[in-house]
Amino acid sequence: MDIERRNNVTVTGNPHGPTVVLAHGFGCDQNMWRLTVPALVEKYRVVLFDYVGAGRSDLSAFSEARYASLNGYARDAVEVCEALDLRDAVFVGHSVSAMVGVLAAGMAPERIGALVMVAPSPRYIDDEGYRGGFSVQDIDELLESLESNYLGWSATMAPVIMGNADRPELGSELTDSFCATDPGMARVFARTTFRSDSRDDLKGVAVPTLVLQCTQDIIAPREVGAFVHRAISGSRLVTLDATGHCPHLAAPEATNQAITDFLADLR
């Protein structure tokens, strides 16, 4: 299989620099990184891709069995790294892709040498001694609404997820991105995302890691970022003065600065 075509791989930036892989979150595609790419291309080789089922990926490659687990998305990431023969790449994952990066680094440690986790959450559902932000009932109702009327759910939830009600164009962009995703494939990704529990996987992270959280994020509360930071030995936690779950769109300058500072320290 042509992995680069399957995942709509784009390579840009400095071909002689260290490699940074940008991985999008649920309901999004690589275009969501367009405000981050300019901050990286001078010094870094930048790799972007779409998970199967998103963006301009090959939808015929979708398998519900494979993508019913985050491991399926992690395999996408690893296969992209293998196709490009990447070594010690920095994997920047937004939202659920932060956990995909954790899994991918475990699968292919020679390919991924550092992680940047943007608004991560290893578990969205509250548990004893853990606040994920949602009850089991909350998630059940969210998924039921999504599965019964995906376009309606997208129009309602995307602006809430994005936050920044005073900048409605941001919510509109995320709504458009959600609505452009195949509903059936989005349902699978949503179930996989919101019912996942990757907390135990954090303990195995052995690469330099940056955790970026927002001051206000309905999807990943600050307690979640603090949990991820504590669970990953030696990780760096940066709290951005940003609202919503997509700081790379809502607060790109602060997000890019945190990422480039981290990258500079790796060199």
Side-chain angles (χ1 to χ4, degrees), residues 70-116:
L70 289 185
N71 285 320
Y73 296 96
R75 285 169 58 195
D76 271 20
V78 169
E79 288 168 7
V80 167
C81 291
E82 290 174 343
L84 299 176
D85 194 25
L86 304 185
R87 303 281 173 173
D88 293 322
V90 180
F91 189 93
V92 182
H94 170 236
S95 191
V96 66
S97 272
M99 297 306 132
V100 169
V102 167
L103 297 173
M107 291 178 182
E110 73 283 4
R111 304 287 179 186
I112 298 174
L115 296 172
V116 176

Side-chain angles (χ1 to χ4, degrees), residues 128-254:
E128 184 176 352
Y130 173 83
R131 180 175 182 245
F134 300 88
S135 67
V136 172
Q137 182 178 351
D138 290 336
I139 293 300
D140 287 345
E141 290 176 353
L142 181 152
L143 293 174
E144 181 181 346
S145 174
L146 182 151
E147 292 175 7
S148 65
N149 181 4
Y150 177 66
L151 295 182
W153 177 88
S154 297
T156 300
M157 285 301 299
V160 175
I161 293 169
M162 177 60 75
N164 296 276
D166 59 326
R167 299 160 67 192
E169 69 277 7
L170 294 175
S172 295
E173 178 175 351
L174 191 60
T175 299
D176 291 344
S177 179
F178 280 13
C179 291
T181 305
D182 179 272
M185 298 176 191
R187 292 182 188 108
V188 173
F189 199 2
R191 289 196 299 269
T192 301
T193 297
F194 290 109
R195 288 184 172 150
S196 64
D197 186 349
S198 302
R199 290 176 294 175
D200 287 344
D201 297 307
L202 298 175
K203 302 171 186 175
V205 175
V207 297
T209 300
L210 171 65
V211 180
L212 292 181
Q213 66 176 7
C214 299
T215 51
Q216 299 179 53
D217 183 347
I218 192 173
I219 299 296
R222 291 180 66 168
E223 294 92 333
V224 175
F227 177 91
V228 173
H229 172 50
R230 289 195 304 270
I232 300 177
S233 178
S235 63
R236 179 189 301 181
L237 175 64
V238 174
T239 301
L240 302 169
D241 183 14
T243 300
H245 192 55
C246 302
H248 49 317
L249 292 178
E253 295 85 1

Side-chain angles (χ1 to χ4, degrees), residues 1-11 22 24 29-30 47-59 61-62 66-67 72-84:
M1 179 179 291
D2 182 349
I3 301 301
E4 293 183 51
R5 181 180 64 83
R6 184 194 72 182
N7 290 99
N8 187 33
V9 175
T10 302
V11 181
L22 301 176
H24 65 82
D29 62 18
Q30 61 185 265
V47 175
L48 304 103
F49 70 98
D50 297 329
Y51 291 112
V52 172
R56 298 177 64 187
S57 65
D58 181 0
L59 303 187
F62 187 82
R66 172 170 172 143
Y67 297 109
Y73 296 96
R75 285 169 58 195
D76 271 20
V78 169
E79 288 168 7
V80 167
C81 291
E82 290 174 343
L84 299 176

